[in-house]
């Protein structure tokens, strides 16, 4: 059991079962496990706190909101971008960080210790755990075990909810609305958990239209299409990026994941060059529209695009900081 | 030479030779090298400070006792559990941490630099060094070189004194006494430095009785048995875990270390399943008795045991934090 | 773009082109890229701040000059000595640190992300970047991209300017002058970037005489010799270490870099034993002269030399801390 006063209020074990959030007199957020756990009100609340975090981050004297709290970043596979973003978030709020960059070779895991046992030990040394794991569902297991909050920083092919949150937050910040937007999801739609989570969250908004633009071998899977249909979200597949880009508010490009093609490098090379965001795409895009990308990018967005103000992907990466600051604040000291 | 004011008083080079402790007007602790260096009075003093640390850790506003001090965790082999425990201890007291998780591939060590040269460099960048090394005796060499305190966080097959301290502290916290206790050491008694160190420390208390319960291939070695006999500690070997468990205050289970069996996996498998702490063992244990384990555990304690209040192993892991907080305070700012 | 108030003044993008420094009402230092960027006035200014840092480091209550600032140590190859030195510097001044010890296996770099994209992401999570890279010129590219200061912590066979600065600073602290000194550069002069950078900086002072003492296979290359000649610096090659040592103020020994010899271990072994600094060398050295070494050392300086007060190499390592503290202060909050 945790013994840190402020943490206790936010990690009540008895409310571990869904709904993970209750909006009332006090906003409750116990763990961050998957994109689906968030409803519109919760998203709005998180985004409101994230906006406050932008102010705090700009303040050179910094913040001490989380002074005295320790975050353990327990990463079973390396992801420096995500890790640095979380660790920066904690430090910008005055908190402390314990890091395990490669917990898979963690002597204990290597010796056969269960994730549950590891969590029971690490929760004794920290106030919140940020978990990156190679197995889908690992965060849910960790959260069920831990008496302190757990944040999913990506678990295998499963979820990466803070990425989904920062994506939606970026659209809101860049386009100033979420209802009624048109979004193109481009590239590797079969393997990218990013676009899958984003599609889930977009379904919470009204009159959203989604275009899927991808090579045949990596097209969006039926489960997401069926989900969108069941939620009344309009979607269509298209092979014409220029046409789609001219209509959309957001062109969300993704990297073709070479590692998923195995020895079929011919298929990879074919898929890779098919839909590139370049100056031709920019030329047809509306003035208020933006290009997004979860990064890292290879050449699926040409570097000349970077100079256009509609290139939002580095601002998007920065928004990850604000979202993670907001989540840490909400999980550790509450609304 | 160290130039940090407060550290100087605790790292007097001229008193590096034993006795490492002098209890008088001022309690002195220069380095933590091996379990044998502690006498009963010193153990009592450390445990008293550890109890204060429990209070400090529970205080949400935290402590700044070690503000301005830097601890370097110089780990030549990974041990995330031990490292996180030390780093949390330093941060809970307001101190800072520099981490080297894999100093063995440290470019300098790889290039042939001696441990002594590395220590002379690192002591310029820190106020205390926590050393984990693959060679027995490494900490003693480091402490002889350094003008700042050095703590042994495990050196090869040799010592792991902070584990021994937290084990004894846990028994004291759980059973409320150390004199007159009966302790079963179970499992891999040949290879586990934990049980060897624990046996040494138990010998400092009165009327202790130790039971060794282990597969034949990994039974306790004669040096420890001879030492216990010479110190007047009663011990016996037994093959009947149920009988022993019914008599003991502490059942200290350990993992059979597969890595020591080499290619003889048949011997490993045979040894591994022989003495399991499960509900049958719990059933015969006294109400006040506890099950301990240095962790990680595999299946030598079944998971259903976790739910019993007598399962003390996760509390034991947490006690490691308090013991390390106490040692850091004693080494850096004194009694 | 950076949003941190205090950092902004020191990272004006419009002054990224050389001269990197302007000494006037306000001292400006934007990035630390190479030894050649520093003129005598700048060096004097840095050394003056480094002296202040010695005072600060000795003060047990510490400093909060850089409170609220975050340094990202982005290391594409491990160099624990340099990393710990920078991280200690930041923490001694009250700043925070984010660490990437092996950015080469950084998932993003491994996936083909450019250094520029990585920098654009990391600058969103920090106020200053310390970059160690395997490619010559990497820091210059990073600094051209980043809107926050970048420090070169070694880029491949290229530059390691903070090492050169601490070397010059050490000579100044030990010998109390830089004009008119005689310096022996000994050992591997072909492969060591340290001695090359040091030669560049020494050329900024008057009446310096440099002696090159090295095995034939690793002698100083012509570009440096030509540069010294063009700058009017006297130099000569010698095979007689004893004779040279008797005349010099500084004997700067270096390690023969085995990794550069490939399979020709015979050549390595021959080169390695040729010029050793031992008690015979000490015997002929002047009383005020010093032995320096960038570390790590193998047996090119015998361990008995360590006990002589003229052995300056561990003080030299410590000076690296003061120089890095000074640079961090100058880059983040200015003069």
């Amino acid at each position: 059991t945790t013994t840190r006063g402020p943490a206790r209020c936010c990690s009540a074990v008895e409310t571990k079962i869904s709904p993970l959030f209750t909006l009332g007199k006090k906003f409750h957020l116990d763990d961050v496990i998957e994109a689906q756990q968030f409803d519109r009100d919760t998203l709005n609340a998180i985004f409101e706190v994230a906006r406050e975090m932008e102010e705090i981050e700009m303040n050179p004297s910094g913040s001490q909101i989380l002074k005295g709290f320790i975050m353990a970043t327990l990463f079973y596979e390396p992801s420096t971008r995500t890790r640095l973003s979380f660790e920066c978030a904690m430090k910008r709020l005055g908190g402390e960080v314990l890091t395990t960059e490669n917990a898979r070779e963690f002597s204990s895991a290597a010796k056969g210790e269960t994730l549950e046992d590891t969590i029971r030990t690490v929760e004794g040394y920290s106030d919140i755990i940020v978990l990156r794991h190679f197995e889908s569902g690992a965060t849910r297991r960790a959260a069920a075990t831990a008496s302190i909050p757990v944040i999913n920083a990506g678990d295998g092919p499963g979820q990466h909810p803070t990425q989904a949150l920062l994506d939606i937050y970026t659209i809101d910040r860049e386009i100033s609305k979420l209802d009624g937007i048109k979004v193109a999801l481009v590239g590797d739609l079969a393997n990218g958990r990013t676009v899958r989570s984003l599609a889930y969250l977009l379904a919470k908004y009204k009159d959203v239209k989604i275009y899927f633009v991808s090579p045949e071998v990596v097209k969006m899977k039926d489960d997401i299409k069926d989900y969108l249909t069941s939620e009344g979200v309009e979607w269509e597949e298209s092979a014409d990026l220029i046409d789609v880009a001219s209509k959309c508010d957001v062109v969300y490009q993704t990297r073709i994941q070479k590692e998923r093609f195995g020895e079929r490098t011919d298929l990879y090379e074919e898929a890779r060059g098919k839909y590139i965001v370049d100056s031709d795409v920019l030329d047809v895009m509306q003035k208020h529209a933006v290009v997004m990308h979860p990064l890292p990018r290879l050449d699926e967005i040409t570097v000349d695009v970077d100079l256009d103000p509609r290139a939002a992907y580095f601002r998007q990466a920065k928004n990850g900081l604000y979202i993670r600051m907001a989540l840490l604040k909400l999980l550790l000291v509450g609304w």
Side-chain angles (χ1 to χ4, degrees), chain A residues 16 68 93 99 109 119 138 144 165 181-182 226 235 247 254 283 298 307 314 322 324:
Chain A
K16 271 280 159 60
L93 293 172
T99 296
I119 292 292
L165 289 175
I181 58 169
K182 292 186 172 60
D226 293 345
W235 60 268
K247 296 180 203 158
T254 60
D283 283 348
L298 300 188
L307 301 171
F314 293 115
Y322 305 130
R324 284 155 188 147

Side-chain angles (χ1 to χ4, degrees), chain A residues 44-248:
Chain A
N44 284 341
I46 293 170
F47 294 171
E48 196 180 318
V49 179
R51 288 297 290 268
E52 290 169 26
M53 295 298 138
E54 295 197 29
E55 301 299 318
I56 284 175
E57 200 251 359
M58 256 177 289
N59 182 348
S61 59
S63 163
Q64 296 296 314
I65 296 177
L66 298 187
K67 187 171 166 62
F69 288 99
I70 295 177
M71 176 182 92
T73 46
L74 194 58
F75 273 46
Y76 282 78
E77 56 179 21
S79 174
T80 309
R81 180 187 313 277
T82 302
R83 182 173 64 79
L84 290 187
S85 167
F86 269 109
E87 294 184 355
C88 176
M90 192 65 185
K91 285 170 190 269
R92 288 285 188 225
L93 293 172
E96 293 290 335
V97 174
L98 299 178
T99 296
T100 316
E101 211 174 345
N102 201 344
R104 199 169 188 169
E105 297 177 27
F106 197 105
S107 57
S108 305
K111 287 172 187 160
E113 184 176 62
T114 64
L115 176 63
E116 282 77 3
D117 275 16
T118 302
I119 292 292
R120 277 195 193 95
T121 303
V122 173
E123 73 175 339
Y125 307 147
S126 56
D127 302 302
I128 188 165
I129 293 173
V130 176
L131 179 69
R132 173 93 169 199
H133 204 277
F134 48 90
E135 275 179 24
S136 192
T139 311
R140 188 174 291 281
R141 286 167 53 205
T145 300
S147 60
I148 60 173
V150 176
I151 302 181
N152 186 351
D155 52 356
Q159 285 275 340
H160 192 5
T162 61
Q163 176 71 45
L165 289 175
L166 76 91
D167 286 343
I168 290 282
Y169 181 66
T170 299
I171 296 173
D172 193 35
R173 293 285 280 131
E174 297 282 338
I175 308 298
S176 300
K177 63 172 182 176
L178 285 161
D179 290 322
I181 58 169
K182 292 186 172 60
V183 178
L185 301 180
V186 188
D188 191 338
L189 307 183
N191 301 306
R193 61 185 167 194
T194 304
V195 287
R196 293 172 54 86
S197 297
L198 182 55
Y200 266 116
L201 284 189
L202 285 172
K204 298 185 188 295
Y205 295 90
K206 282 182 286 194
D207 303 324
V208 169
K209 168 95 188 243
I210 301 180
Y211 296 87
F212 299 123
V213 184
S214 71
E216 188 63 23
V217 288
V218 287
K219 56 191 280 229
M220 182 56 82
K221 289 179 181 164
D222 286 340
D223 62 334
I224 297 287
K225 292 178 193 165
D226 293 345
Y227 176 78
L228 292 175
T229 300
S230 74
E231 295 289 309
V233 180
E234 222 185 310
W235 60 268
E236 70 177 71
E237 294 185 312
S238 168
D240 187 346
L241 177 58
I242 292 289
D243 176 58
V244 166
S246 71
K247 296 180 203 158
C248 280

